[in-house]
Amino acid sequence: MQGSVTAKYDAIIVGSGPNGLSAAVELARSGLSTLVMEAKGSPGGGARTEELTLPGFHHDVCSTVHPLGVGSPFFRTLGLENFGLEWIESPTPLAHVIDENSVVTLERSLDATAEQLGSDGKAYRAMLAPLVDRFDGLMQMLLGPLRLPSSPILFARFGWSGLTSIKGLVFRHFYTKAAPSLLAGLAAHAALPLNAMATSAFALVLAAAGHRVGWPIARGGSHAITRALVACLRSLGGDLVLDQPIRCMADLPPARAYVFDITPKQLLSIAGNALPNGYRRRLERFRYGPGVFKLDWALRDAIPWANAACARACTVHLSGGLRQVDRAEAIVHEGGTAKVPFTLVVQPSRFDPTRAPKGAHTAWAYCHVPSGSRVDMTRRIEDHIERYAPGFRGSILGRSARDSQAMETYNANYVGGDIGGGISDVGQLFFRPVMRLDPYATPATNIFICSSSTPPGGGVHGMCGYWAARSVLKRVFGVEHPEAATG
């Protein structure tokens, strides 16, 4: 649907990323008339798939691998498979390259992973088994605002390990090289220095997800998730309008509630005049994290990994050991770019042939860079891959490169290239965008925020949108929902 909007709605959602669409779906299935307004000509935010390089090569503009998507308590209630979403798993969720002679893999089997870790296998199994066994309950507690846990013992057990730094965790529990390397690579997804508090939480959640639900991709690209959410919304009577940029509140049609799938920077620009001075000042102090430099490739052949284990995984970390990962990420937070960056490589067409012409392939990689960096990391990333996949460069048919400023130009929510909606250190992990009992509600009674700048943060899981919708229903419409709404 395109064009102007004149009808009055109960709720209007600004932005059609997974969280905006999830908020709209939850409001619509509660019986409210709901409209999503999107500035671009297609919905999706970070969950879009486009021909970035050559015709017939379909690339995910941001995220591809979705452990929190398949594990999302909210998505599980929607039956998105009935709207065309199909998950595909690679045989191995993750391969982590330590050096030319050593690769450690995160396998679906906890035992198979532990067997690779030598004398550290027993400690790894003991640490992960309780989280894997009770993964669904853990997700219920972690993917939302800070509140009384439904299982205090499980929550305390996770917090005991998760709130520490990954360096502290591995130094306490592991003595060989493989386990610290694997966990350091997982923790680096937090885009924080590895000595930062709570970096262990990212590693433990991603590892547990790999063992319990895998690290799947959506057949056809991440836009399949968007299409399924849009179809679900429309089945509930919700509307979507495209090509409708919102620059101020006056651009919005009448509604009882407005829900913004944007970060504090954009909220201040659009709705700042409607917010109290104190709250505005708190939003202005919201901190963003490092940016990313991303490369997409159209390839003649699959990446020719020297180690066959890398060909079994959709995601490959080119990272080295703990010290190498630690130093590469520390350099970014010191304002520099690493000569050998922590590099995350994704090769979806190995497992989903719909993404490229027959026989050809797609792949992408990114590394962290300082916020707003214009440094071209193409050669460093491609050199890194070539080291472990000799002949890789010879298979490149086309490439698309985006530095951190280009990422923000593409999506205003990626401030300085930060794809996580704000830095996720201890100060902003649970209390985002500000410290507030209900982080989704603003002091303006009809204005709410549902982006990844709210708990639980980044990832394609829809939980920020779900919880924001719950806040709208309670505060504006007087509707209370039981906790089991996401069960």
Side-chain angles (χ1 to χ4, degrees):
M1 175 175 157
Q2 295 179 323
S4 61
V5 179
T6 57
K8 183 175 181 179
Y9 289 85
D10 291 319
I12 290 177
I13 293 82
V14 176
S16 67
N19 284 314
L21 291 172
S22 294
V25 166
E26 179 63 13
L27 293 169
R29 74 175 180 174
S30 298
L32 303 186
S33 59
T34 305
L35 170 69
V36 178
M37 302 186 73
E38 167 59 43
K40 292 186 178 291
S42 64
R48 288 192 178 99
T49 306
E50 300 175 1
E51 292 182 335
L52 297 177
T53 56
L54 299 172
F57 291 85
H58 303 286
H59 306 273
D60 292 325
V61 177
C62 186
S63 55
T64 295
V65 183
H66 303 292
L68 298 185
V70 72
S72 166
F74 178 61
F75 283 0
R76 288 183 175 186
T77 70
L78 301 181
L80 294 179
E81 65 278 3
N82 298 321
F83 299 97
L85 178 60
E86 179 183 351
W87 295 111
I88 297 174
E89 285 193 55
S90 55
T92 296
L94 168 70
H96 181 109
V97 179
I98 300 174
D99 54 41
E100 286 87 343
N101 302 310
S102 182
V103 172
V104 60
T105 57
L106 177 73
E107 302 287 346
R108 282 297 302 271
S109 165
L110 180 59
D111 290 338
T113 304
E115 286 171 5
Q116 302 173 67
L117 306 180
S119 59
D120 283 336
K122 183 177 180 180
Y124 180 87
R125 188 184 292 107
M127 183 178 295
L128 268 297
L131 309 182
V132 175
D133 292 344
R134 301 188 64 186
F135 182 76
D136 292 347
L138 185 66
M139 292 299 96
Q140 290 275 6
M141 290 186 286
L142 295 182
L143 294 184
L146 192 62
R147 60 202 191 281
L148 290 175
S150 56
S151 176
I153 294 176
L154 176 64
F155 191 77
R157 180 164 192 157
F158 175 81
W160 177 254
S161 298
L163 290 180
T164 189
S165 74
I166 194 64
K167 289 176 71 174
L169 183 76
V170 300
F171 288 154
R172 284 203 311 267
H173 295 280
F174 302 108
Y175 300 95
T176 61
K177 193 170 187 179
S181 301
L182 177 64
L183 291 169
L186 293 169
H189 285 247
L192 292 168
L194 297 194
N195 61 358
M197 295 273 296
T199 42
S200 290
F202 290 85
L204 294 175
V205 167
L206 289 174
H211 295 310
R212 181 59 180 264
V213 298
W215 283 23
I217 62 176
R219 182 179 293 278
S222 292
H223 67 168
I225 303 171
T226 299
R227 287 201 306 261
L229 286 168
V230 170
C232 181
L233 174 64
R234 286 176 169 154
S235 75
L236 296 165
D239 291 331
L240 167 68
V241 62
L242 304 173
D243 294 313
Q244 290 286 311
I246 303 301
R247 298 179 179 85
C248 63
M249 293 298 291
D251 291 338
L252 291 163
R256 293 181 64 186
Y258 299 96
V259 187
F260 291 89
D261 186 7
I262 56 179
T263 79
K265 180 180 177 181
Q266 294 83 49
L267 186 64
L268 285 165
S269 176
I270 294 171
N273 291 338
L275 301 171
N277 290 336
Y279 185 77
R280 287 205 307 269
R281 286 193 293 270
R282 294 167 74 190
L283 289 182
E284 289 167 354
R285 292 195 293 268
F286 186 79
R287 293 172 293 116
Y288 294 91
V292 300
F293 182 95
K294 182 172 182 283
L295 282 168
D296 287 273
W297 297 283
L299 302 173
R300 181 179 292 107
D301 305 294
I303 298 177
W305 298 107
N307 191 308
C310 295
R312 299 179 64 249
C314 190
T315 304
V316 180
H317 287 168
L318 298 184
S319 317
L322 169 63
R323 288 184 180 180
Q324 287 81 8
V325 181
D326 181 30
R327 185 57 188 149
E329 293 299 284
I331 288 171
V332 173
H333 288 270
E334 292 164 2
T337 53
K339 291 183 179 179
V340 183
F342 168 78
T343 302
L344 185 149
V345 182
V346 180
Q347 45 187 359
S349 60
R350 279 187 178 271
F351 314 100
D352 178 9
T354 69
R355 295 177 182 240
K358 187 175 182 180
H361 285 271
T362 63
W364 64 260
Y366 79 60
C367 67
H368 294 134
V369 294
S371 177
S373 172
R374 299 307 304 264
V375 175
D376 186 345
M377 301 293 287
T378 300
R379 182 166 183 176
R380 295 186 219 185
I381 289 175
E382 291 184 354
D383 282 349
H384 205 177
I385 297 174
E386 185 77 20
R387 176 182 175 186
Y388 300 108
F392 163 71
R393 273 203 175 91
S395 70
I396 297 174
L397 299 172
R399 68 167 61 80
S400 169
R402 279 188 170 140
D403 62 27
S404 60
Q405 288 192 26
M407 293 295 287
E408 182 173 358
T409 298
Y410 168 76
N411 186 336
N413 278 357
Y414 299 158
V415 177
D418 176 2
I419 60 176
I423 199 163
S424 294
D425 59 10
V426 169
Q428 286 191 172
L429 185 59
F430 292 107
F431 302 109
R432 52 197 291 139
V434 300
M435 186 178 291
R436 191 173 168 86
L437 190 60
D438 181 348
Y440 313 96
T442 75
T445 57
N446 63 341
I447 295 176
F448 299 78
I449 182 170
C450 73
S451 70
S452 57
S453 297
T454 64
V460 178
H461 44 63
M463 294 301 294
C464 306
Y466 166 76
W467 286 108
R470 288 270 301 264
S471 179
V472 172
L473 289 166
K474 177 181 178 180
R475 292 177 175 274
V476 179
F477 298 95
V479 177
E480 292 275 8
H481 279 289
E483 192 71 19
T486 57

